[in-house]
Amino acid sequence: MRHLYDLRKSELVAWLKERGEPSYRALQLFGWLYQKRVQSFDEMTNLPKKLRQELETEGQTATSEAVLRQVSKIDGTVKFLLRWSDAVTVETVLMRHDYGNSVCVSTQVGCKMGCTFCASTLGGMIRQMTAGEMVEQLLYSQRLLDETNERVSSVVLMGSGEPMDNYDEAMKFIDIINDPSGLNIGQRHITISTVGMVPGIIRLADDGRPITLAVSLHAANDQLRSSMMPVNKAYPLAKLMDACHYYCQKTGRRISFEYALVGGKNDSLDDARELAALIADLPSHVNLIPVNYVPERNYTRTPVEQIDAFAAELRRLGVNATIRREMGHDISAACGQLRAEHAGRL
């Protein structure tokens, strides 16, 4: 069976054309999938009964189920744990901000990058997510928002997995949700995060997509970064910074650098000065993230006063820096935590 959320609109047109259907039928179907967001073919009343019967036997919409849903009592963040027919689970998070609703999407089941502060990598990577499976993650949040006549306004590919390691499917997902006759989420409202996969950064620059690039940095020297992020051994800071310069020059867009503050490891004022020097000539913004406690790791959170001092030192040195507002702190909203907890209970 064909997973219909896996298909761009043009691919849906071609798929139905093979079955003798005119193009407008595909446009109608695309509207049902993304504008009306129905999952039953019987509800698609402007499609001929014969076509609906064929879709029932040859096509699929939802291929996952929500096995857990948690809602933060602090800020209304919603976290879904979704399970597919092969028993794998991934998380997706709906975050409510003053400026709109954002959804964090996972691109892989687990992760093989091995970052020492992240729960997603604890069990390694099991498999890639398809574009359609990413779409399904987003639609769980959108259907919830439909109940209050709201919409998803932005998407971040910052859930479990490394998007650049699943580049083609991630870009296909973006094409599908960006389509004006569907969800119509503008590419400027989409962020893709990477641990520093240099080939992916260069490819993204050459593709010319107006999406936002976020680079997980977390340390400003190779020795410390390699101890926290094994990917740095393959793509050390010199290569990563070259790729970031190329991206900025090619696209004219600034980069968001993610920096998780770990108590006693990368959070001193000297670390702040080293970071400022590393990115001094890049159009960029630094997003400081108080590290989440993961039971399997021995990292501690940096005290609030020290986080403020770190941010102030960056700003004094001319770096645009903000401290990320923590979302869903009471519902295991860090990437991989809910999945790991659920697996531990099975």
Side-chain angles (χ1 to χ4, degrees):
M1 296 181 75
R2 195 66 191 265
H3 190 193
L4 299 186
Y5 293 138
D6 264 331
L7 301 176
R8 297 180 179 92
K9 185 170 63 182
S10 59
E11 294 169 329
L12 193 59
V13 169
W15 188 69
L16 287 185
K17 188 176 181 180
E18 291 173 1
R19 284 149 184 78
E21 297 291 340
S23 297
Y24 73 87
R25 290 297 184 204
L27 302 182
Q28 289 174 325
L29 177 54
F30 200 79
W32 282 110
L33 293 174
Y34 296 109
Q35 292 183 354
K36 298 177 182 176
R37 293 181 278 282
V38 305
Q39 295 174 273
S40 168
F41 297 116
D42 285 339
E43 295 180 58
M44 302 179 182
T45 51
N46 62 349
L47 299 182
K49 185 175 181 180
K50 178 175 176 293
L51 175 57
R52 280 182 276 156
Q53 290 172 339
E54 290 175 356
L55 290 171
E56 196 69 49
T57 58
E58 297 180 40
Q60 285 179 298
T61 53
T63 60
S64 62
E65 61 174 337
V67 293
L68 282 176
R69 186 170 92 179
Q70 295 182 343
V71 182
S72 170
K73 296 178 181 178
I74 299 172
D75 53 34
T77 296
V78 182
K79 187 158 195 176
F80 299 92
L81 183 69
L82 309 179
R83 181 170 60 205
W84 271 264
S85 59
D86 57 354
V88 300
T89 56
V90 300
E91 297 148 86
T92 185
V93 183
L94 167 63
M95 297 163 285
R96 301 174 187 272
H97 306 278
D98 294 339
Y99 53 83
N101 300 303
S102 179
V103 175
C104 182
V105 171
S106 295
T107 55
Q108 296 176 321
V109 183
C111 185
K112 65 183 180 184
M113 293 297 133
C115 299
T116 58
F117 45 82
C118 181
S120 296
T121 195
L122 289 170
M125 193 190 83
I126 297 173
R127 69 168 175 84
Q128 305 279 21
M129 296 248 86
T130 68
E133 289 170 334
M134 296 178 214
V135 169
E136 282 195 53
Q137 294 177 55
L138 178 59
L139 286 175
Y140 275 95
S141 291
Q142 183 55 66
R143 291 192 184 101
L144 180 62
L145 291 172
D146 286 340
E147 297 175 8
T148 50
N149 295 315
E150 299 177 82
R151 72 184 298 266
V152 174
S153 52
S154 61
V155 176
V156 292
L157 279 72
M158 290 184 179
S160 297
E162 166 55 52
M164 297 300 191
D165 192 42
N166 193 12
Y167 189 93
D168 290 335
E169 291 299 309
M171 294 304 123
K172 188 175 187 180
F173 162 70
I174 289 172
D175 288 341
I176 292 167
I177 67 171
N178 173 241
D179 195 294
S181 55
L183 291 168
N184 195 26
I185 298 173
Q187 290 198 58
R188 292 185 182 277
H189 298 284
I190 299 171
T191 299
I192 186 168
S193 176
T194 178
V195 296
M197 300 285 283
V198 166
I201 294 172
I202 293 172
R203 186 175 176 187
L204 184 64
D206 290 339
D207 280 354
R209 292 173 176 268
I211 63 179
T212 298
L213 172 65
V215 175
S216 295
L217 199 54
H218 309 314
N221 66 72
D222 282 322
Q223 182 177 357
L224 179 56
R225 192 166 191 267
S226 292
S227 72
M228 298 174 70
M229 305 176 70
V231 70
N232 194 70
K233 297 169 186 176
Y235 306 111
L237 284 169
K239 288 184 179 180
L240 177 57
M241 290 300 107
D242 283 347
C244 289
H245 277 95
Y246 179 78
Y247 176 86
C248 291
Q249 292 163 4
K250 187 86 173 181
T251 66
R253 297 179 62 80
R254 74 175 186 172
I255 294 173
S256 176
F257 287 109
E258 310 290 304
Y259 194 98
L261 289 159
V262 181
K265 195 170 185 72
N266 66 347
D267 59 351
S268 71
L269 293 185
D270 283 342
D271 290 317
R273 295 175 193 122
E274 193 171 30
L275 173 59
L278 180 69
I279 64 173
D281 54 351
L282 274 167
S284 62
H285 165 263
V286 173
N287 195 12
L288 298 173
I289 308 165
V291 72
N292 285 286
Y293 172 69
V294 178
E296 294 82 358
R297 309 298 192 188
N298 59 359
Y299 286 172
T300 58
R301 292 171 67 88
T302 300
V304 173
E305 301 79 10
Q306 196 167 336
I307 293 172
D308 291 339
F310 193 100
E313 183 66 5
L314 288 178
R315 294 177 191 132
R316 186 185 71 81
L317 295 169
V319 175
N320 184 344
T322 54
I323 301 168
R324 178 184 288 179
R325 175 190 169 204
E326 293 188 87
M327 304 292 290
H329 189 62
D330 57 329
I331 58 167
S332 305
C335 297
Q337 282 188 294
L338 183 59
R339 176 173 170 261
E341 290 172 7
H342 181 67
R345 291 196 293 267
L346 297 179

